[in-house]
Amino acid sequence: MRDVAAAAASTGPRVLPPNDPRQYDDLAGEWWRPDGAFAMLHWLAEARAALVPPASRPGALLVDLGCGAGLLAPHLVGKGYQHVGVDLTRSALVQAAEHGVRVIQGDVVAVPLPDGCADVVSAGELLEHVPAWPRAVAEACRLLRPGGLLVLDTLNDTALARLVAVRVAERLPTVPRGIHDPRLFVDARALVAECARHGVELRLRGIRPQVGGLVAWLVRRARAARTPGAAPAGRTPRIVPTRSTAVLYQGRGVRNG
């Protein structure tokens, strides 16, 4: 057994196709590292949580589709929701549960929860990873009670998004290499239309990391990398609104009825 393990270790990291879910098992130790491969997901989770108002009733439920390791959880503290997370990756769900999320291992295109159960549904950095994203949208809208809130962020299906999010970002330490398949990026107009089909009027705005903060963070991270055990000190970059939805965009909509 030792020889087998040594042989496996000597081969180095396995090479997987773009958007392969097994990458999240390989990167399981990165979720909660502030300077790790999923650092930008922390920034986006904070920006997404800012769209969620305090719960309007006791026992309000927030369903977090594609919850990963529960990065949304710290930003919901005090808002009064029961936080339920749905994800395929068990190694991520173990960590989400440690952060107070009630976890369900399952597919976001077939969520094992009843119609109209959720006051809020979050779909953060999810749709661009789902081959049948309209089915995930249908599930998100199905879960919402009348008057319930859908919040999401995703990547647009544009040449600029493919350039920025894949060719550029995946060469920086903010996005793991191969984590995206640009063929799955989500056309903003199609997403608005799909939500409308299911009774949710979705409003969009472009978002991006604040440039000065991102540059400063990258510099601090590079300096910290030269010192074993060190982490980049200072504030993390903020996600800010931008006029263009051509790359990364955020959506917020309420279910009719």
Side-chain angles (χ1 to χ4, degrees):
M1 284 296 291
R2 288 198 192 98
D3 292 340
V4 173
S10 69
T11 62
R14 56 180 171 175
V15 178
L16 297 170
N19 197 54
D20 191 308
R22 292 173 293 176
Q23 292 180 75
Y24 296 99
D25 287 319
D26 293 348
L27 294 166
E30 295 290 306
W31 281 109
W32 287 96
R33 285 185 56 210
D35 62 334
F38 295 131
M40 190 169 175
L41 295 186
H42 287 260
W43 316 338
L44 287 163
E46 182 176 9
R48 191 180 323 119
L51 300 179
V52 178
S56 60
R57 65 188 185 96
L61 179 67
L62 183 147
V63 178
D64 189 357
L65 300 179
C67 67
L71 304 187
L72 195 62
H75 308 293
L76 297 175
V77 171
K79 290 197 172 186
Y81 293 97
Q82 298 180 48
H83 185 180
V84 172
V86 181
D87 206 286
L88 284 172
T89 306
R90 181 164 180 76
S91 59
L93 290 174
V94 169
Q95 297 180 63
E98 292 170 353
H99 286 82
V101 182
R102 293 168 51 197
V103 300
I104 297 173
Q105 187 171 14
D107 197 322
V108 296
V109 301
V111 180
L113 290 170
D115 295 357
C117 66
D119 296 79
V120 178
V121 172
S122 169
E125 294 305 293
L126 166 70
L127 299 179
E128 73 272 22
H129 297 286
V130 181
W133 68 259
R135 290 177 59 193
V137 168
E139 279 294 89
C141 296
R142 176 187 69 80
L143 294 170
L144 283 174
R145 60 192 288 266
L149 176 68
L150 173 64
V151 295
L152 58 84
D153 38 79
T154 190
L155 288 160
N156 208 340
D157 184 17
T158 64
L160 183 60
R162 291 187 283 276
L163 172 65
V164 172
V166 179
R167 297 198 177 194
V168 176
E170 291 191 9
R171 286 166 172 76
L172 297 173
T174 50
V175 180
R177 186 72 64 92
I179 205 73
H180 293 118
D181 181 345
R183 295 173 297 180
L184 302 181
F185 287 4
V186 181
D187 181 83
R189 288 172 294 184
L191 177 58
V192 169
E194 189 65 28
C195 287
R197 287 185 59 235
H198 299 284
V200 173
E201 182 181 352
L202 192 70
R203 296 182 180 275
L204 305 181
R205 68 175 181 178
I207 54 173
R208 61 170 174 79
Q210 192 269 334
V211 174
L214 176 60
V215 171
W217 181 84
L218 288 169
V219 170
R220 292 196 303 268
R221 190 185 189 280
R223 289 173 177 166
R226 296 194 290 267
T227 306
R235 296 184 61 181
T236 57
R238 292 185 304 111
I239 298 295
V240 297
T242 184
R243 290 183 181 181
S244 174
T245 60
V247 179
L248 180 63
Y249 62 94
Q250 191 178 59
R252 185 181 192 276
V254 174
R255 183 179 174 185
N256 298 328

